[in-house]
Amino acid sequence: MFEELSALNARPAVYSRVTTPDLWTDPHISARMLAAHLDPHVDLSSYRAEYLEKVVAWIVSRFDVRPGLRVADFGCGPGLYTTRLARTGADVTGLDLSSRSLDHAKSLAHVDGLSVRYLQQDYLSYRDDARYDLIIMVMRDYCALTPDGRRALLRTVRGHLDSGGSFVFDVDSTSALADVREQATYAPSLMDGFWSGRPYFGFHNTYRYESERVSLDKFEIFEADRTRAYFNWVRYFTPDELTGDLLDAGFTDVEILGDLTGSPYSTEAPQFAAIALNR
């Protein structure tokens, strides 16, 4: 048992395993993720309702979202942003891995009589002939990607932004890493049954990787007939680091903001946002 527990608590190498797509394709977990998306009172899979409305209002104002403007939401989830943006008359596309979330998004569009194009695709490998004036990515998805994944994302964004188009997204800042504490937790039905509809035992380890400015939340789930592991990596950025990524990818005129409501940047804030222009 000691050897098994030692292996369970061993620190993985940075980005040694990536399991993000599994969260959105597992039937039970994707249902719990959707519920978190739709809960207006928590900042888990999406932001709280009050902040969400401020984000949409700022995006509409800042980028003059109007009829005919071509907008894409990468990682659109259940359509919380695409639905609201489509109400302006803009031509809106949403991409997401989760069929469950997209089904909800499509139902929202149908109820409102909106025409929104939804694609079940990985935005890292998405390719078609569409070009957009604005691409958004909300809820700090960029931080969950590996370095190769971030480069792939920026290639995809640049390849689908029209000349003069903008990419706006938010990230976790280095001040948030200061609050991450290494820990190990064990519980039957860890996180109130989030990981399975059947009985299970869950182990949750949190690790910090100081030089890489990365944290990991690792969840190992033991059921009677199977064992699974989920790795949630988060990269924490300074404005200079994020600006460097964007300029290296060919973007220009990078603007750093405090958040997706357009507030000023603060070194103390746990998140910040960026606008990158494609020339």
Side-chain angles (χ1 to χ4, degrees), residues 6-259:
S6 296
L8 192 66
N9 288 281
R11 179 185 299 269
V14 178
Y15 298 123
S16 56
R17 185 173 174 186
V18 177
T19 61
T20 305
D22 299 341
L23 296 174
W24 303 105
T25 55
D26 179 276
H28 177 84
I29 297 173
S30 65
R32 295 295 295 264
M33 295 287 279
L34 177 59
H37 261 302
L38 300 178
D39 188 333
H41 306 296
V42 299
D43 292 323
L44 184 55
S45 294
S46 191
Y47 290 118
R48 296 171 191 257
E50 181 180 1
Y51 180 72
L52 185 155
E53 297 294 350
K54 292 179 180 178
V55 170
V56 173
W58 176 77
I59 289 174
V60 170
S61 174
R62 174 64 174 77
F63 299 99
D64 190 20
V65 180
R66 63 191 185 281
L69 195 80
R70 300 161 297 173
V71 182
D73 182 355
F74 280 18
C76 67
L80 300 179
Y81 297 89
T82 48
T83 300
R84 288 165 171 81
L85 293 172
R87 289 173 185 158
T88 69
D91 297 328
V92 179
T93 296
L95 277 71
D96 204 273
L97 284 174
S98 171
S99 60
R100 188 185 298 272
S101 291
L102 290 176
D103 286 345
H104 184 88
K106 292 173 185 176
S107 70
L108 288 182
H110 177 75
V111 168
D112 282 5
L114 299 170
S115 178
V116 182
R117 184 174 72 133
Y118 285 111
L119 305 174
Q120 186 180 357
Q121 291 201 25
D122 184 343
Y123 50 59
L124 300 185
S125 56
Y126 164 57
R127 298 288 185 277
D128 70 15
D129 293 332
R131 295 297 178 268
Y132 304 104
D133 303 299
L134 173 65
I135 295 176
I136 68 171
M137 190 168 68
V138 182
M139 205 60 189
R140 311 187 307 280
D141 274 23
Y142 190 77
C143 301
L145 302 173
T146 66
D148 285 344
R150 295 194 293 270
R151 286 188 287 269
L153 168 72
L154 296 180
R155 285 195 299 270
T156 299
V157 171
R158 281 213 70 210
H160 289 85
L161 269 182
D162 211 344
S163 178
S166 298
F167 176 41
V168 58
F169 63 109
D170 55 353
V171 298
D172 288 283
S173 72
T174 52
S175 65
L177 178 58
D179 294 329
V180 175
R181 299 288 180 265
E182 293 203 339
Q183 61 180 349
T185 304
Y186 156 77
S189 297
L190 180 73
M191 297 173 58
D192 192 29
F194 178 89
W195 299 103
S196 178
R198 302 186 299 166
Y200 67 87
F201 299 98
F203 293 82
H204 174 199
N205 290 81
T206 301
Y207 301 98
R208 292 169 56 101
Y209 301 80
E210 300 292 343
S211 61
E212 296 89 350
R213 290 184 177 153
V214 169
S215 70
L216 167 65
D217 283 291
K218 178 172 67 74
F219 301 90
E220 298 218 34
I221 308 303
F222 293 82
E223 296 176 274
D225 58 349
R226 62 173 179 166
T227 299
R228 293 169 291 148
Y230 299 93
F231 289 64
N232 180 29
W233 302 98
V234 178
R235 171 70 159 87
Y236 302 83
F237 289 90
T238 67
D240 287 346
E241 289 169 336
L242 187 62
T243 298
D245 279 3
L246 293 165
L247 295 179
D248 287 346
F251 292 91
T252 59
D253 300 326
V254 177
E255 181 180 356
I256 300 298
L257 305 167
D259 59 22

